[in-house]
Amino acid sequence: MNYTNLINKKVVSVYEGKVEGIVFEILFNKNFKLTKLIIKTSDEQFKTLNTKDVFCFDECIVIKNNSKLIVSENENKESYLNKEVITLDGKILGTVVDLNIENLKIKEILTLKTAINPEKIVSNNNIIIVNNSEKTYKKHQFKPKNKIIIKQSNNQKVVITSKIPIKVVPNNSLIGKRLFRDLINNKNIILARKNAIITPKLLNLAKEQNCLNSLINSII
């Protein structure tokens, strides 16, 4: 079945013997599994139906009774329709027009140009980015590097600025190097964290704190 085939299907409860509403939206988890249906009732309410509570999927969605319908709240979801699909090497594969669903899991993401294996998705936000190469890529591989988070412990202080005027030291061979460990002065105060890039400001601060040798011995 396809996503578009499920939308607007009637939801019928056996015990009450009536149409409870229509399928308004379909929700998937991050593993591409169809987990929930959002049902729009005749009185314009929105209710959530877990797919595990569906008795039968066919021309109608059949449920045992309407106790399985729960008033909807803000649901976490993975959406796909109407998003542009672009490959890692910059090719445009078109806009998603449908989803091929098999055993309640997305089998293929369909555009007017092609069918895409959902396992190839690297990123899904405003657009969908897929990997069309043989090499494996994961989203975390594209995370910005060298993001430094400084935490303050009970027995250490982090020096952020210096009250002593800083003189810029130009063309120094240390500038641009990276620390492989924290730079700490003789008072156990951290001047810079591991992975910090040496700047003229940090270089002068190390001189002022009499720990230039420690700085030199801490570079990669």
Side-chain angles (χ1 to χ4, degrees):
M1 61 183 174
N2 283 5
Y3 181 103
T4 52
N5 298 138
L6 281 172
I7 295 297
N8 292 325
K9 275 188 183 293
K10 293 179 181 179
V11 178
V12 177
S13 61
V14 176
Y15 183 79
E16 287 75 18
K18 69 174 185 177
V19 176
E20 299 290 345
I22 61 171
V23 177
F24 180 78
E25 191 174 5
I26 302 169
L27 306 185
F28 299 90
N29 63 18
K30 291 185 178 181
N31 296 318
F32 317 112
K33 188 78 173 178
L34 195 166
T35 56
K36 298 177 181 179
L37 304 175
I38 303 300
I39 310 303
K40 185 177 181 181
T41 64
S42 58
D43 57 355
E44 301 296 314
Q45 290 189 59
F46 292 94
K47 295 188 176 181
T48 300
L49 172 65
N50 289 319
T51 52
K52 64 182 179 63
D53 293 323
V54 174
F55 185 75
C56 178
F57 284 92
D58 207 310
E59 294 181 8
C60 294
I61 306 295
V62 180
I63 58 177
K64 291 182 179 180
N65 54 70
N66 62 14
S67 68
K68 303 300 183 181
L69 298 174
I70 304 170
V71 176
S72 292
E73 299 179 357
N74 292 328
E75 302 278 359
N76 294 325
K77 62 180 181 179
E78 289 287 312
S79 60
Y80 302 91
L81 254 62
N82 301 317
K83 291 184 178 180
E84 189 174 32
V85 182
I86 298 176
T87 66
L88 283 177
D89 58 357
K91 293 182 175 59
I92 298 175
L93 301 183
T95 300
V96 178
V97 295
D98 213 340
L99 304 172
N100 184 2
I101 302 168
E102 189 174 286
N103 296 324
L104 298 184
K105 190 171 183 178
I106 299 176
K107 181 180 179 181
E108 293 176 317
I109 297 172
L110 306 176
T111 73
L112 293 177
K113 292 183 177 182
T114 188
I116 302 159
N117 182 343
E119 300 291 343
K120 292 290 187 178
I121 293 177
V122 178
S123 179
N124 179 14
N125 198 359
N126 294 332
I127 61 174
I128 297 173
I129 299 176
V130 298
N131 174 25
N132 60 340
S133 70
E134 295 299 323
K135 187 176 179 180
T136 301
Y137 288 99
K138 298 295 182 181
K139 185 177 180 179
H140 68 83
Q141 294 175 261
F142 299 87
K143 184 178 179 180
K145 295 181 179 179
N146 305 325
K147 184 177 180 181
I148 302 171
I149 301 174
I150 299 177
K151 295 182 180 180
Q152 185 171 339
S153 63
N154 293 330
N155 59 352
Q156 292 181 328
K157 296 181 180 179
V158 178
V159 174
I160 299 175
T161 60
S162 173
K163 295 182 180 180
I164 302 174
I166 302 299
K167 294 181 180 180
V168 176
V169 180
N171 302 320
N172 193 290
S173 61
L174 294 177
I175 295 172
K177 301 288 186 180
R178 189 189 308 277
L179 297 176
F180 71 85
R181 63 186 178 189
D182 291 347
L183 178 63
I184 302 173
N185 68 9
N186 56 12
K187 295 182 179 179
N188 202 33
I189 295 176
I190 298 175
L191 303 181
R193 287 290 189 183
K194 176 182 177 181
N195 288 325
I197 301 298
I198 298 176
T199 63
K201 182 177 179 179
L202 178 57
L203 184 60
N204 280 282
L205 181 59
K207 289 182 177 180
E208 295 162 9
Q209 298 289 326
N210 295 317
C211 57
L212 183 57
N213 288 336
S214 179
L215 175 67
I216 294 171
N217 292 329
S218 300
I219 62 173
I220 296 175

